[in-house]
Every structure is written in structure tokens, then in C-alpha cells.
Amino acid sequence: MSGLWVFVCGPSGAGKDSVIGWAREQLSGNADVVFSQRLMTRATQAGADHQAMNPEYFEQLAGRGELAWHWQAHGFRYGIAARYARQVAWGRVVVVNGSREHVAGLRRGAALRVVQIGANAADIASRLAMRGRDAAEAIAGRLARNTRLGSVAADLEIANDGELASAGERLAGYLAGLA
């Protein structure tokens, strides 16, 4: 039995990390749902769930085929270790915090699902400013990219413009139903 990749994507500031974190906590006892950790060429910051690495090492991993998925966004490289592909092969649902641009270019098949998390523009702008990790120019760039990329075709769309628990429950329920 083959499992599934579930790419969770959406605009910067939509709250993907928060919604994924909420679902991860709710599904912590479900061994059939695996939440992947991203590899990134950005330094680790408070609240971030990724493994930081330098760009040269990242490129070596990609070149050796040690990344199941990799893409570029916001001037950084992102990747998912190949070990997660084994989890999919073993029948598990592997959740990836992905990029809309990357997801839009994927060949859709039986082993891939897409969840898009969105929020209203005012909430997104406020969240980007509140997290305090980007300069004003970078926030403007993220907002412009959000507008440019728009939506992707998704198997599930979640609005994260109310209580986090509401969006988190929708994601957790969806993932549990796939497992």
C-alpha cells in the first residue's frame, strides 16, 4: 500500500506553520501521519520548524539525490529529505509545508494531495509585520508575491482568518481521514 504526500501551501502570513503545528499536536498519537521537517538555507528563528543549513551543503544534498523535493522561494532554498519518501512508500501520509509556486509545477497523481491555507489580506499583512523577522522591503516583496502567485488547485482549502483551532481542526480531520 502506497501512502500520500500532502503539500500544505498558501501565501506568506496565512498561518501555515501555526495550522500545521496545531494539527501535528492533535495527531501526535497517529503514526500513519508524519510531519516532515524542512531543510532551509535560512537561519533558524524562534517558532520556526526547519533545519538550517548553508547553501553549499544544501546543493550537495540535492545533487546526491538526498532530497525528495526541493524548491526556491523568498531567496532561500527549501527541501524535504529523501527519508520521507520511504514513509510514503510504507503507506504513511507525509505532510510537507510547501510553496505554491513549487506545488503549481508538480505533476498531480494518486500519491499527492494539496491543501491551501489562506487568510484575508489585512490579516496577512499584520501577521508578517508582527513576526518581526523581515524588513519592510521583504514584507512588501512577500505581499507582492502573494498577489502574483494567487491560488493553486487544491484538494482542500482552509481559511485561517478566525480561531486557529477551527483551521487546525479542518487540517487534522482531513489528514486523519487520509491515513
Side-chain angles (χ1 to χ4, degrees):
M1 172 176 155
S2 185
L4 294 168
W5 291 100
V6 177
F7 277 81
V8 179
C9 60
S12 289
K16 296 178 299 293
D17 290 335
S18 297
V19 174
I20 291 170
W22 198 97
R24 176 186 291 120
E25 187 174 308
Q26 298 306 305
L27 297 171
S28 63
N30 187 337
D32 291 327
V33 180
V34 176
F35 290 84
S36 66
Q37 182 180 44
R38 291 183 298 180
L39 307 173
M40 276 181 68
T41 60
R42 181 178 73 201
T44 303
Q45 297 162 328
D49 182 28
H50 71 272
Q51 180 182 342
M53 62 182 47
N54 71 47
E56 295 78 20
Y57 185 63
F58 184 97
E59 293 306 323
Q60 288 173 8
L61 290 177
R64 292 192 307 248
E66 295 183 36
L67 300 178
W69 305 97
H70 56 92
W71 62 93
Q72 185 168 340
H74 310 295
F76 300 104
R77 300 283 291 150
Y78 297 75
I80 303 298
R83 66 185 164 95
Y84 291 108
R86 289 190 294 278
Q87 298 287 327
V88 171
W90 294 335
R92 295 190 174 104
V93 173
V94 175
V95 182
V96 174
N97 184 341
S99 157
R100 288 173 295 159
E101 194 165 23
H102 178 244
V103 167
L106 295 178
R107 189 166 45 102
R108 302 295 280 274
L112 176 68
R113 300 290 184 278
V114 174
V115 174
Q116 182 165 245
I117 296 175
N120 67 58
D123 283 347
I124 287 174
S126 174
R127 290 173 186 166
L128 288 172
M130 284 181 12
R131 65 185 185 191
R133 74 175 182 216
D134 293 315
E137 312 81 57
I139 291 172
R142 286 178 182 269
L143 293 171
R145 183 177 185 269
N146 288 348
T147 301
R148 180 177 51 83
L149 289 179
S151 295
V152 296
D155 298 290
L156 174 67
E157 293 197 22
I158 298 173
N160 185 27
D161 48 15
E163 293 295 317
L164 175 60
S166 177
E169 284 174 11
R170 288 213 49 219
L171 180 59
Y174 180 73
L175 296 172
L178 294 174

